[in-house]
């Protein structure tokens, strides 16, 4: 009977009386940490916390199981490692100027019964070096195909390389990865092949490194390319509307790489050529009608030549309407319009006066018809004598 009756007591002691038995569902004496990622050369903070310390101190140790700090006491003489915070519930330390060799699992321990630990994985990112572009030669000919190579070392994990030419993305070969001799970082490389055109002359081909350690910062290298191409030319007259008697310059504007060094001027129907010179302008000191015709300019460089044409029509010496003439024409039109309005006003005013004067004369005529004849007019006057009226006649 005694054996079975003791079983509930043993279970009670195991669950409630034994050390740590009250924490079977939640161990308040278990420390906790977090994994950290740091860029090589940066600073990482390791933080360990515990809810119930059970009158014991926290301790940090490195991947080689060397104690770094026990509570607030330094255990390893490494000035890069400093105490940040030490309380019964927390132990935080910092490691500055982190190196790739510092990567690994760091352990936080609390010496309870039993000893409890927590792990913090520190990942160190290797910063990729500035990329290097190789494979470019001094100059390229138009439509020539070229291959450029780009390489960057020291990244961890391996970086990615991208290409662009000006604002245009170039699709290079997939990035190749090779482990560095230190066994921790990587060297990445990529190649791009493209055909050049005259528009690429002076363009920058850029190789960029993409890596999380850069945090969006640009790390790239550019290579400016030079493209040799045949010249082009066009003829520009000065002044643009030449007239007889004026001085005229025909400018042969050549473009190319290299720039044209020789210009040959010709006029259709004329033999021999007018001019061969290193200067690009053909000068007419005093234009005549006979200068009219089609002129050709051949611009030449060591890449080839190009011929441009211009038809010259020498106009009469009358001046070309200028802006001042247009201005005067506008003013004259305004004045003419005002004069026209004044004439209309005078016509209406004259019509009004004639109309009213006719009405006045008609009224005078009617008054003359009602009056007595001047030769027979009799004016009667009444006198004021007593006893009778006297009648008097007046002849006018």
């Amino acid at each position: 009977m005694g054996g079975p009756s003791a079983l509930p007591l043993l279970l009670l002691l195991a669950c409630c009386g034994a050390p740590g038995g009250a924490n079977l569902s939640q161990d308040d004496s278990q420390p906790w940490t977090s994994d950290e990622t740091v860029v090589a050369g940066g600073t990482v903070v390791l933080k360990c916390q515990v809810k119930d310390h059970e009158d014991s101190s926290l301790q940090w140790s490195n991947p080689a199981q060397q104690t770094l700090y026990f509570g607030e006491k330094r255990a390893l003489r490494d000035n890069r490692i400093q105490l940040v915070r030490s309380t019964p519930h927390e132990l935080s330390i910092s490691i500055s100027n982190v190196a790739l060799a510092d990567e690994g699992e760091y352990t936080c321990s609390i010496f309870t019964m039993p000893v409890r630990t927590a792990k913090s994985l520190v990942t160190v990112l290797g910063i990729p070096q500035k990329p290097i572009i190789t494979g470019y030669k001094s100059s390229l000919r138009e439509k020539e195909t070229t291959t450029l190579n780009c390489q960057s070392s020291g990244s961890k994990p391996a970086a990615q390389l991208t290409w662009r030419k000006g604002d245009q993305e170039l699709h290079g070969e997939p990035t190749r990865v090779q482990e560095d001799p230190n066994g921790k970082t990587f060297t990445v490389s990529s190649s791009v092949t493209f055909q050049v055109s005259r528009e690429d002359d002076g363009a920058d081909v850029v190789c960029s490194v993409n890596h999380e350690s850069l945090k969006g910062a640009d790390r790239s290298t550019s290579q400016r390319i030079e493209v040799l191409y045949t010249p082009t030319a066009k003829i520009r007259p000065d002044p643009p509307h030449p007239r007889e008697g004026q001085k005229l310059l025909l400018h042969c504007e050549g473009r190319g790489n290299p720039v044209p060094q020789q210009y040959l001027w010709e006029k259709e129907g004329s033999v021999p050529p007018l001019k061969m010179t290193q200067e690009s302008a053909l000068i007419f000191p005093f234009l005549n009608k006979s200068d009219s015709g089609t002129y050709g300019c051949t611009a030449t460089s060591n890449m080839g030549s190009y011929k441009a044409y211009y038809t010259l029509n020498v106009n009469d010496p009358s001046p070309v309407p200028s802006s001042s003439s247009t201005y005067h024409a506008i003013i004259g039109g305004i004045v003419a319009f005002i004069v026209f309005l004044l004439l209309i006003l005078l016509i209406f005013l004259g019509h009004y006066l004639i109309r009213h004067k006719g009405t006045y004369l008609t009224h005078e005529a009617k008054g003359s018809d009602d009056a007595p004849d001047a030769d027979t007019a009799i004016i009667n006057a009444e006198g004021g004598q007593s006893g009778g009226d006297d009648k008097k006649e007046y002849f006018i």
Side-chain angles (χ1 to χ4, degrees), residues 135-363:
Y136 175 73
K137 56 184 181 180
S138 58
S139 59
L140 302 167
R141 289 180 175 268
E142 186 177 16
K143 297 183 179 181
E144 185 178 351
T145 298
T146 185
T147 299
L148 300 180
N149 305 301
C150 180
Q151 180 176 293
S152 173
S153 302
S155 59
K156 179 182 175 297
Q160 292 293 318
L161 299 175
T162 59
W163 292 91
R164 73 176 188 273
K165 180 179 63 177
D167 296 330
Q168 175 189 359
E169 181 181 358
L170 295 177
H171 299 285
E173 297 179 358
T175 302
R176 300 180 295 274
V177 180
Q178 182 179 356
E179 189 177 64
D180 292 334
N182 59 20
K184 295 182 178 295
T185 59
F186 300 90
T187 294
V188 294
S189 59
S190 177
S191 300
V192 65
T193 301
F194 58 96
Q195 186 182 63
V196 297
S197 65
R198 63 180 58 203
E199 288 75 19
D200 295 327
D201 183 36
D204 289 323
V205 178
V206 181
C207 176
S208 300
V209 180
N210 298 323
H211 195 262
E212 55 187 306
S213 66
L214 300 176
K215 298 179 180 179
D218 178 67
R219 178 153 295 186
S220 60
T221 297
S222 64
Q223 175 64 64
R224 180 158 294 184
I225 59 176
E226 181 185 13
V227 180
L228 305 176
Y229 57 94
T230 56
T232 59
K234 65 177 181 179
I235 299 176
R236 178 178 59 85
D238 182 21
H241 303 287
R243 293 189 170 273
E244 189 176 10
Q246 288 183 327
K247 179 180 178 180
L248 173 67
L249 278 77
L250 293 182
H251 296 278
C252 187
E253 298 177 342
R255 180 178 177 270
N257 188 18
V259 176
Q261 298 295 321
Q262 190 177 72
Y263 298 90
L264 175 65
W265 284 97
E266 299 173 286
K267 181 181 180 182
E268 287 189 355
S270 295
V271 179
L274 300 176
K275 184 179 182 182
M276 179 180 290
T277 178
Q278 293 182 352
E279 298 178 0
S280 60
L282 181 64
I283 303 175
F284 297 84
F286 191 87
L287 272 180
N288 293 312
K289 286 284 187 178
S290 59
D291 293 324
S292 298
T294 299
Y295 291 81
C297 170
T298 302
T300 303
S301 71
N302 57 10
M303 290 296 295
S305 60
Y306 183 91
K307 190 170 186 178
Y309 293 93
Y310 173 76
T311 299
L312 173 62
N313 293 315
V314 179
N315 299 312
D316 294 332
S318 57
V320 178
S322 62
S323 58
S324 60
S325 300
T326 304
Y327 173 77
H328 292 147
I330 293 173
I331 296 300
I334 295 174
V335 172
F337 180 72
I338 293 174
V339 171
F340 175 74
L341 291 179
L342 291 176
L343 288 175
I344 295 297
L345 181 60
L346 289 175
I347 291 172
F348 276 103
L349 182 60
H351 181 70
Y352 175 79
L353 293 177
I354 292 172
R355 186 176 179 184
H356 282 71
K357 184 175 181 181
T359 305
Y360 174 74
L361 293 175
T362 303
H363 288 169

Side-chain angles (χ1 to χ4, degrees), residues 6-238:
L7 182 59
L9 180 59
L10 293 175
L11 291 174
L12 180 63
L13 289 173
C15 295
C16 302
N23 299 315
L24 288 178
S25 58
Q26 180 179 357
D27 190 353
D28 290 340
S29 297
Q30 174 63 43
W32 71 88
T33 63
S34 61
D35 295 338
E36 302 293 337
T37 300
V38 60
V39 177
T43 299
V44 64
V45 176
L46 302 178
K47 184 177 182 179
C48 181
Q49 294 175 288
V50 66
K51 188 173 183 180
D52 183 5
H53 56 84
E54 296 185 13
D55 294 328
S56 181
S57 297
L58 294 168
Q59 171 188 290
W60 273 110
S61 57
N62 62 16
Q65 297 304 313
Q66 295 173 312
T67 300
L68 304 179
Y69 267 89
F70 182 76
E72 61 182 8
K73 296 180 181 179
R74 181 196 294 269
L76 186 67
R77 291 185 178 181
D78 188 342
N79 291 331
R80 299 180 306 135
I81 305 173
Q82 298 293 327
L83 179 66
V84 176
R85 182 179 176 85
S86 177
T87 69
H89 300 281
E90 178 185 340
L91 178 60
S92 296
I93 64 173
S94 67
I95 306 175
S96 61
N97 195 22
V98 176
L100 293 172
D102 294 322
E103 184 174 83
E105 270 192 345
Y106 288 74
T107 304
C108 174
S109 307
I110 186 167
F111 294 93
T112 57
M113 291 296 293
V115 176
R116 295 171 173 84
T117 61
K119 301 290 185 179
S120 174
L121 177 62
V122 174
T123 301
V124 181
L125 302 178
I127 304 175
Q129 297 178 3
K130 186 179 178 69
I132 299 173
I133 296 178
T134 58
Y136 175 73
K137 56 184 181 180
S138 58
S139 59
L140 302 167
R141 289 180 175 268
E142 186 177 16
K143 297 183 179 181
E144 185 178 351
T145 298
T146 185
T147 299
L148 300 180
N149 305 301
C150 180
Q151 180 176 293
S152 173
S153 302
S155 59
K156 179 182 175 297
Q160 292 293 318
L161 299 175
T162 59
W163 292 91
R164 73 176 188 273
K165 180 179 63 177
D167 296 330
Q168 175 189 359
E169 181 181 358
L170 295 177
H171 299 285
E173 297 179 358
T175 302
R176 300 180 295 274
V177 180
Q178 182 179 356
E179 189 177 64
D180 292 334
N182 59 20
K184 295 182 178 295
T185 59
F186 300 90
T187 294
V188 294
S189 59
S190 177
S191 300
V192 65
T193 301
F194 58 96
Q195 186 182 63
V196 297
S197 65
R198 63 180 58 203
E199 288 75 19
D200 295 327
D201 183 36
D204 289 323
V205 178
V206 181
C207 176
S208 300
V209 180
N210 298 323
H211 195 262
E212 55 187 306
S213 66
L214 300 176
K215 298 179 180 179
D218 178 67
R219 178 153 295 186
S220 60
T221 297
S222 64
Q223 175 64 64
R224 180 158 294 184
I225 59 176
E226 181 185 13
V227 180
L228 305 176
Y229 57 94
T230 56
T232 59
K234 65 177 181 179
I235 299 176
R236 178 178 59 85
D238 182 21

